[in-house]
Amino acid sequence: MTTSLMIETKRLTKTFGAFVAVKDLDLKVRTGSIHGFVGPNGAGKSTTLKMLIGAIRSTAGEGRIGGHPLGSEAARRLLGYSSDRPSFYRDMTAWDYLVHMAELSGMRIDEAESRARELLKWLELAEFSDAKVGGFSAGMKQRLSLALAMAHRPRLLLLDEPTANLDPDGRASLLEQLRQLQQEQGITIFISSHILPELEQLVDAVTMIDKGRIVAEDSISQLKQEISSNHYVLTTSDNEAVYRALEDKACVQEIHLDAEGVIHLTSDDLATLQDTVMEAVSACKALLKNFGEEQVSLDDIYRKTMRQDKDS
């Protein structure tokens, strides 16, 4: 398998009896990247993460972390995992947890304590280092879970909904910290999240999964280009009249008005479309306000990809 990839799977499959949770998953995550992992509930994301961290074995196929087989000791040493629903012993303190985890990874006690102080400060938990975790808020537990995942200085972070329990300021702060971590230390970050606008700000590439299968995987820029290609938006002083003037034109393949009355249209002949739009605007005695390529978001890509998968 390719050494430039931190995560690579080939035909990775997991079944539970007759139920197929993940089927023939060919996942590729480039070393040093921030990679998003998205899909509807029940798509197979959690099962995939559990196979990647070695918590469950695949039924078929294979996978590697940094070139090492899934579940091997070498693979486990490379990764840190933070759950979307972390659970802790209520009577332990954040300090005790972090020192203990760092020691388990092989650090001397002085190294473990230094690492614990560093992480508690970085994740804004220093003032709560001696507080029992049972009294932590959901957001504080989420931050502690991330700190524990990082205790042994992993080269790969697997994060399941890392901002789900944080307030808006906390989410923005954590996203910036993750970006800095990747840029300054070259750590690979694999994030499963439903919060697509946040994910779009952070990730280099994304994998979309549905019904246990990959339905899209590429860089954000490439996916946007594929979705927006030949797609245009048009606004005028009289959108309804211009829409009616354009809907039967040969160069217009698809056209619709959205909820705000903006015209969306597709065409594989931009030059002819431009002339046709100008003629329609003039014929309707309207003013042209905007005409250009449609700007798409990760949410747009997700919705269109999932809609196409359901229609196929």
Side-chain angles (χ1 to χ4, degrees):
M1 291 191 174
T2 310
T3 55
S4 62
L5 298 174
M6 178 57 75
I7 302 174
E8 185 176 14
T9 68
K10 290 187 177 180
R11 301 184 67 84
L12 196 67
T13 298
K14 182 63 181 178
T15 60
F16 298 94
F19 175 68
V20 181
V22 175
K23 182 174 177 60
D24 295 335
L25 198 73
D26 292 338
L27 183 63
K28 294 178 175 63
V29 177
R30 185 171 50 82
T31 299
S33 67
I34 303 180
H35 195 106
F37 192 47
V38 301
N41 291 332
K45 299 189 303 299
S46 294
T47 300
T48 300
L49 283 170
K50 288 175 182 177
M51 286 191 286
L52 292 178
I53 66 174
I56 60 175
R57 291 185 178 182
S58 64
T59 306
E62 61 177 324
R64 292 183 179 271
I65 300 291
H68 305 289
L70 297 183
S72 66
E73 183 178 348
R76 289 173 186 268
R77 285 186 174 277
L78 285 177
L79 65 87
Y81 171 66
S82 177
S83 167
D84 61 332
R85 297 177 183 174
S87 60
F88 304 96
Y89 292 111
R90 295 178 58 84
D91 292 334
M92 284 186 70
T93 66
W95 172 263
D96 290 339
Y97 257 116
L98 279 168
V99 171
H100 180 61
M101 289 299 294
E103 282 189 289
L104 284 178
S105 73
M107 292 183 186
R108 300 190 312 269
I109 182 63
D110 58 329
E111 293 177 311
E113 291 180 346
S114 176
R115 182 60 171 163
R117 277 191 291 272
E118 176 187 351
L119 288 171
L120 288 167
K121 179 180 179 181
W122 188 68
L123 288 168
E124 301 172 1
L125 290 172
E127 62 182 294
F128 306 103
S129 62
D130 294 323
K132 291 183 177 180
V133 178
F136 278 19
S137 68
M140 291 166 67
K141 289 179 180 177
Q142 198 73 55
R143 286 182 176 274
L144 179 58
S145 176
L146 178 56
L148 292 171
M150 296 176 57
H152 61 296
R153 302 184 189 277
R155 300 308 303 160
L156 166 66
L157 279 177
L158 294 162
L159 309 179
D160 194 357
E161 302 289 350
T163 65
N165 296 310
L166 303 178
D167 59 30
D169 288 341
R171 293 202 302 269
S173 174
L174 182 59
L175 291 174
E176 181 57 32
Q177 287 169 317
L178 290 175
R179 187 179 292 108
Q180 289 178 356
L181 191 66
Q182 183 263 341
Q183 291 174 346
E184 295 172 5
Q185 300 183 29
I187 292 177
T188 307
I189 304 175
F190 186 73
I191 303 179
S192 175
S193 177
H194 285 99
I195 310 175
L196 300 187
E198 286 184 356
L199 206 60
E200 183 176 1
Q201 299 174 33
L202 186 66
V203 301
D204 307 307
V206 66
T207 297
M208 297 185 182
I209 184 174
D210 189 24
K211 301 171 187 173
R213 301 174 296 105
I214 290 178
V215 294
E217 183 176 74
D218 213 326
S219 67
I220 291 291
S221 58
Q222 184 61 35
L223 288 171
K224 284 186 175 182
Q225 183 177 334
E226 290 174 4
I227 294 293
S228 63
S229 178
N230 299 331
H231 286 64
Y232 305 93
V233 289
L234 171 65
T235 54
T236 73
S237 59
D238 192 347
N239 285 347
E240 289 192 10
V242 173
Y243 166 79
R244 289 192 296 272
L246 289 171
E247 61 180 340
D248 61 351
K249 299 301 183 183
C251 66
V252 177
Q253 295 165 318
E254 297 179 11
I255 186 168
H256 73 274
L257 285 168
D258 66 18
E260 286 75 40
V262 176
I263 302 170
H264 297 256
L265 61 167
T266 63
S267 174
D268 56 10
D269 186 350
L270 177 57
T272 302
L273 179 65
Q274 288 175 320
D275 292 340
T276 304
V277 165
M278 294 308 298
E279 290 170 3
V281 170
S282 177
C284 294
K285 295 183 170 52
L287 296 175
L288 178 64
K289 294 183 178 180
N290 176 61
F291 175 55
E293 284 191 347
E294 187 159 11
Q295 300 300 307
V296 298
S297 66
L298 180 56
D299 188 65
D300 294 327
I301 297 169
Y302 176 82
R303 292 177 186 278
K304 184 167 185 177
T305 300
M306 293 302 162
R307 186 168 61 248
Q308 289 174 339
D309 186 54
K310 285 181 172 58
D311 293 340
S312 62

